[in-house]
């Protein structure tokens, strides 16, 4: 009720103002008018104005039942006798605004909203009711809408999100919120806003004029509380009673700073590890607590003291921020069962502003227990090397391995050889004492090394087994005689024949020393030892004749200087070859002996070349003679042809009806236009077309000329001067076709009774056709 009463008071005030603003629009003729005197003494009078008014004002959101009165329009030409009619045009004329044509009273017929349209521009003119002519020029006026406080403030967002570092000082700005009021800010206080905080005290405050939210409480700790919800109100009318308001919510979170040092939850931890754990395996994890997050919670662990500092190491798991304890050396339960280390943790990123909160590091003691496991036997050596002479007798012990149980129980151990490494069963090992014996004779020249694997297994627990490689080296014994290093086959042509050498499979410590000699005295050759493991073969005479004896076999004795001495006899083959005066060998083959003495190698090559040349001449002559005997294609001088291509193929027997027939040229009228050779696929760029021979081309010569003209005009003809001849079978048999393709569709005109008289051979055929005919 109070708002309605207030609205009516404002409306009444506006109406009075508009009425007072209207000056009399018409003066009587007797009214005094301002006058003035010109420079020449004439009296000047001010001319009357036909229309005279100020702007009209209307109250928005008018809710009365009657039309809202705007004002009265009156012309000085109106005598009140009904001869003047007022016409209204412009924005909203006739719909929003209506005028009394006789009196000029202007009313608003609808409720207006200033936020939709703030003013309207209209035009009015006075016309005579008799002549319908304008009495005065058309005049424009404006109707403005007075604003009332009918719009509440609205924020741009319903919910804001903001963040501010924890431990920020009082007055630190967080976020600015802004509200908008659709009312007229230039008229009254309808759009003047004041901000206040409804929820979020005493942690935050807001500036009334700007909407800036600020920290209101010092040392706000994220680890205590991280999220805050603040409600901000914006109220118009400068915050006075009766104003409209709007609210928004601001969610504020405190961001982390490194203000919390890491701390272990306990002063000591206990871990355990099996003594069989491998190096690098994880023993356990420990973790310190840090209230910060992100990089502010990054920690680094380190072992700073303790008797297990050299046995264990620790690193930081970057995902979980745990300290991972790992094994750096092998554990031995029998040697030490408990280890103690001191672990220190610290932040990697320290903020100097918060050093006063305490040291950003902490320490804890970690006790690590070694757990006993049943370990496999341990060999005295990781690898054994045994040397044995190759003449060692079977069954002799060549070496020994030793293994024991490292556990405190000291279970007995048995030995064995991995069968995969002793497939030939050269060796045997004693189960109880680990002594290795040779089961076969060893030959260094066959195999210098033998590699076997010895297994040691606990008798009480066969699953506990260890393996050790045993390398057996076979030492050399002089049991091989020296022999020629290679196969020698030399020739004799002068005193020095050949230098020979020897090889021995044995390897004496002092190296080889070979001696060469002949097994018996030879009248033709002798051996001269060079004393450097080589020897020279020399002739004892000259004048060897290959016609008498083409080859000599010289037995050579080779011995070494090792103990016991080994000797072998090798045979050297010496061939007698033909040499020139300079001593160069000319021929040494057996075939050369049958040649004449005066025929040299060059002469023999010349003879062979002559024979080959004669053979080539004979072959060429035969080919030319055969070519001359070929018959020409043209058999008659009357046949006029330029180039005839002949295909010398065997043909297709009875099916080959496309062979060349000279009768084709004799009878051109029987030629079929579309036949081609079946054995030749012509390559043409255009589709082949051959017109039928004309009737006037009856002579062979005329036929050829006609065909020549057709080929010249044919785009598919060969690009050279040739006569393409296409043979054909003929015009057909006088018996016509035997095919049934052109037969009558029905066989009703034929009688097959005669088939029954042909005998039993045609009985089946007669039954088929006679039966069909009866049907």
């Amino acid at each position: 009720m109070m708002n309605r009463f207030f609205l009516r008071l404002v409306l009444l005030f506006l109406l009075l103002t508009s009425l007072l603003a209207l000056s009399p629009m018409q003066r009587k003729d007797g009214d005094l008018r301002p006058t003035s005197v010109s420079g020449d003494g004439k009296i000047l009078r001010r001319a009357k104005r036909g229309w005279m008014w100020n702007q009209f004002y209307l109250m928005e959101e008018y809710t009365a039942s009657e039309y809202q009165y705007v004002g009265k329009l009156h012309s000085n030409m109106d005598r009140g006798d009904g001869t003047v009619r007022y016409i209204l045009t412009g924005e909203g004329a006739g719909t929003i605004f209506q005028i009394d044509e006789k009196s000029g009273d202007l009313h608003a017929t609808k409720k207006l909203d200033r936020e939709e349209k703030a003013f309207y521009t209209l035009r009015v003119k006075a016309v005579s009711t008799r002549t319908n002519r304008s009495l005065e020029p058309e005049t424009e006026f404006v109707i403005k809408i007075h604003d009332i406080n009918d719009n509440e403030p609205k924020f741009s967002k319903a919910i804001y999100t903001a963040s501010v570092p924890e431990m920020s000082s009082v007055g630190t700005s967080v976020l600015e919120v802004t509200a908008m009021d659709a009312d007229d800010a230039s008229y009254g206080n309808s759009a003047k806003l004041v901000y206040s905080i409804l929820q979020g005290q005493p942690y935050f405050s807001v500036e009334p004029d700007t909407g800036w939210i600020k920290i209101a409480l010092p040392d706000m700790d994220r680890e205590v509380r991280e999220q805050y919800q603040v409600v901000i109100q914006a109220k118009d009318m400068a915050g006075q009673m009766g104003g409209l308001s709007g609210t928004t919510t601001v969610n504020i979170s405190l961001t982390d700073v490194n203000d919390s040092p890491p701390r272990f939850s306990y002063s000591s931890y206990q871990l355990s590890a099996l003594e069989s754990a491998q190096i690098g395996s994880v023993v356990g994890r420990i973790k310190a607590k840090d209230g910060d997050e992100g990089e502010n919670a990054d920690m680094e662990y380190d072992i700073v003291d303790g008797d297990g500092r050299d046995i264990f190491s620790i690193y930081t798991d970057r995902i979980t921020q745990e300290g991972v304890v790992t094994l750096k050396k092998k554990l031995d339960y029998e040697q030490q069962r408990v280890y103690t280390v001191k672990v220190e943790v610290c932040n990697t990123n320290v903020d100097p502003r918060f050093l006063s909160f305490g040291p950003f590091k902490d320490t804890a003691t970690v006790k690590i227990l070694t757990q006993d496991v049943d370990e496999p036997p341990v060999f005295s050596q990781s690898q054994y090397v045994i040397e044995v002479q190759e003449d060692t007798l079977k069954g002799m012990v060549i070496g020994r391995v030793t293994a024991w149980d490292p556990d405190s129980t000291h279970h007995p151990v048995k030995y064995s050889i991995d069968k995969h490494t002793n497939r030939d069963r050269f060796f045997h090992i004693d189960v109880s004492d680990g002594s290795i014996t040779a089961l076969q004779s060893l030959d260094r020249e066959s195999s210098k090394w033998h590699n076997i694997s010895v297994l040691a297994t606990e008798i009480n627990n066969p699953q506990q087994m260890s393996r050790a490689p045993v390398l057996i080296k076979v030492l050399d014994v002089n049991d091989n005689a020296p022999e020629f290093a290679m196969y020698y086959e030399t020739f004799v042509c002068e005193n020095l024949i050949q230098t020979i050498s020897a090889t021995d499979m044995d390897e004496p410590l002092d190296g080889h020393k070979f001696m060469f000699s002949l097994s018996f005295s030879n009248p033709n050759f002798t051996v001269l030892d060079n004393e450097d493991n080589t020897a020279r073969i020399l002739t004892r005479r000259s004048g060897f004749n290959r016609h008498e004896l083409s080859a000599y076999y010289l037995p050579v004795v080779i011995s070494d200087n090792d103990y016991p001495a080994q000797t072998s006899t090798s045979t050297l083959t010496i061939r007698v070859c033909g040499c020139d005066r300079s001593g160069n060998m000319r021929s040494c083959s057996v075939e050369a002996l049958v040649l004449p003495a005066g025929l040299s190698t060059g002469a023999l090559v010349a003879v062979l070349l002559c024979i080959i040349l004669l053979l080539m001449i004979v072959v060429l002559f035969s080919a030319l003679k055969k070519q001359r005997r070929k018959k020409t294609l043209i058999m008659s001088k009357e046949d006029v042809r330029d180039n005839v291509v002949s295909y010398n193929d065997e043909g297709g027997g009875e099916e080959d009806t496309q062979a060349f027939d000279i009768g084709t040229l004799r009878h051109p009228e029987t030629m079929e236009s579309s036949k081609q050779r079946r054995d030749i696929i012509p390559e043409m760029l255009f589709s082949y077309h051959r017109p039928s021979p004309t009737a006037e081309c009856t002579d062979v010569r005329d036929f050829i000329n006609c065909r020549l003209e057709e080929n010249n005009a044919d785009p598919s003809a060969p690009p050279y001067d040739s006569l393409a001849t296409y043979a054909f079978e003929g015009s057909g048999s006088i018996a016509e076709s035997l095919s049934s393709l052109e037969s009558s569709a029905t066989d009703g005109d034929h009688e097959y009774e005669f088939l029954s008289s042909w005998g039993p051979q045609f009985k089946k055929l007669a039954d088929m056709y006679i039966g069909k005919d009866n049907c």
Side-chain angles (χ1 to χ4, degrees), residues 110 183 208 237 323 329 345 390 393 465 538 569 612 766:
K110 294 182 179 180
D183 294 326
M237 298 299 292
K329 293 183 179 180
V345 62
E390 65 176 326
L393 300 178
M465 180 177 59
L538 303 177
T569 301
I612 294 173

Side-chain angles (χ1 to χ4, degrees), residues 326-528:
T326 60
L327 187 62
K328 190 162 57 174
K329 293 183 179 180
K330 291 288 292 183
L331 298 176
D332 191 348
Y333 175 81
E334 286 72 28
Q335 292 184 0
Q336 187 170 349
R337 303 184 180 184
V338 180
Y339 296 90
T340 303
V341 293
K342 185 177 182 181
V343 178
E344 181 183 76
V345 62
C346 61
N347 279 133
T348 56
N349 302 312
V350 179
D351 194 337
R353 296 177 300 173
F354 306 105
L355 290 177
S356 59
F357 288 10
F360 282 79
K361 61 176 62 178
D362 195 13
T363 58
T365 301
V366 180
K367 183 180 294 185
I368 304 172
L369 305 179
T370 304
Q371 296 181 355
D372 186 27
V373 294
D374 189 4
E375 298 177 275
V378 178
F379 283 92
S380 60
Q381 300 178 23
S382 59
Q383 177 179 290
Y384 293 86
V385 178
I386 300 175
E387 295 183 350
V388 57
Q389 297 286 342
E390 65 176 326
D391 59 350
T392 301
L393 300 178
K394 299 179 181 179
M396 292 188 62
V397 176
I398 61 174
R400 187 185 304 274
V401 297
T402 304
W404 66 91
D405 183 10
D407 298 323
S408 56
T409 53
H410 296 294
H411 293 144
V413 175
K414 64 178 181 179
Y415 302 93
S416 62
I417 298 178
D418 189 350
K419 61 181 180 179
H420 296 92
T421 62
N422 191 29
R423 295 182 181 274
D424 296 331
R425 298 186 57 82
F426 276 103
F427 307 100
H428 172 73
I429 190 171
D430 189 273
V431 176
S432 58
D433 62 2
S435 59
I436 301 175
T437 57
L439 298 179
Q440 301 180 25
S441 299
L442 304 179
D443 186 5
R444 190 199 66 84
E445 287 70 35
S446 299
S447 179
K448 297 180 181 180
W449 289 90
H450 294 272
N451 301 331
I452 62 174
S453 293
V454 176
L455 306 178
T457 308
E458 290 185 11
I459 296 178
N460 296 338
N461 187 4
Q463 295 181 354
Q464 296 299 327
M465 180 177 59
S466 298
R467 179 188 300 266
V470 178
L471 310 180
I472 302 174
K473 182 180 181 181
V474 181
L475 301 179
D476 184 44
V477 174
N478 190 20
D479 56 349
N480 290 279
E483 58 187 12
F484 279 153
M486 56 181 292
Y487 174 73
Y488 293 100
E489 185 176 16
T490 185
F491 67 95
V492 57
C493 205
E494 57 181 353
N495 290 340
L496 176 60
I497 298 178
Q498 178 77 42
T499 300
I500 60 175
S501 62
T503 182
D504 193 340
M505 299 179 65
D506 297 323
E507 290 184 359
L509 297 177
D510 297 335
H512 291 292
K513 178 61 177 176
F514 300 130
M515 292 174 290
F516 301 89
S517 62
L518 295 177
S519 59
F520 56 87
S521 178
N522 191 296
N524 300 315
F525 306 98
T526 184
V527 175
L528 180 61

Side-chain angles (χ1 to χ4, degrees), residues 554-574:
L554 183 64
V556 179
V557 178
I558 308 173
S559 60
D560 57 19
N561 64 339
D562 205 352
Y563 180 83
Q566 299 291 334
T567 301
S568 68
T569 301
S570 301
T571 301
L572 178 64
T573 302
I574 303 174

Side-chain angles (χ1 to χ4, degrees), residues 130-251:
R130 298 175 182 177
T131 63
N132 204 28
R133 297 177 61 183
S134 298
L135 300 176
E136 291 186 7
E138 186 180 57
T139 304
E140 185 178 88
F141 63 95
V142 176
I143 299 177
K144 287 190 174 182
I145 310 301
H146 263 306
D147 181 54
I148 64 173
N149 189 18
D150 59 341
N151 290 282
E152 70 276 3
K154 293 182 179 180
F155 288 91
S156 58
K157 294 181 181 180
I159 298 177
Y160 290 84
T161 302
S163 61
V164 63
E166 63 174 334
M167 297 296 174
S168 297
S169 59
V170 176
T172 302
S173 298
V174 179
L175 179 68
E176 182 184 16
V177 294
T178 304
M180 302 296 294
D181 196 319
D183 294 326
D184 190 0
S186 62
Y187 179 77
N189 294 326
S190 298
K192 187 176 182 180
L193 305 181
V194 174
Y195 298 93
S196 60
I197 184 168
L198 301 182
Q199 178 182 328
Q201 295 174 331
Y203 307 103
F204 300 95
S205 63
V206 64
E207 291 187 355
D209 298 332
T210 62
W212 269 104
I213 301 174
K214 297 185 177 181
I215 295 290
L217 190 67
D219 299 333
M220 297 176 63
D221 193 357
R222 185 197 66 84
E223 287 74 32
V224 176
R225 182 178 178 182
E226 183 178 3
Q227 299 291 336
Y228 296 86
Q229 190 176 74
V230 179
V231 179
I232 303 297
Q233 182 190 61
K235 189 174 184 181
D236 58 11
M237 298 299 292
Q240 299 177 6
M241 184 179 295
L244 303 178
S245 63
T247 60
T248 185
T249 302
V250 183
N251 294 324

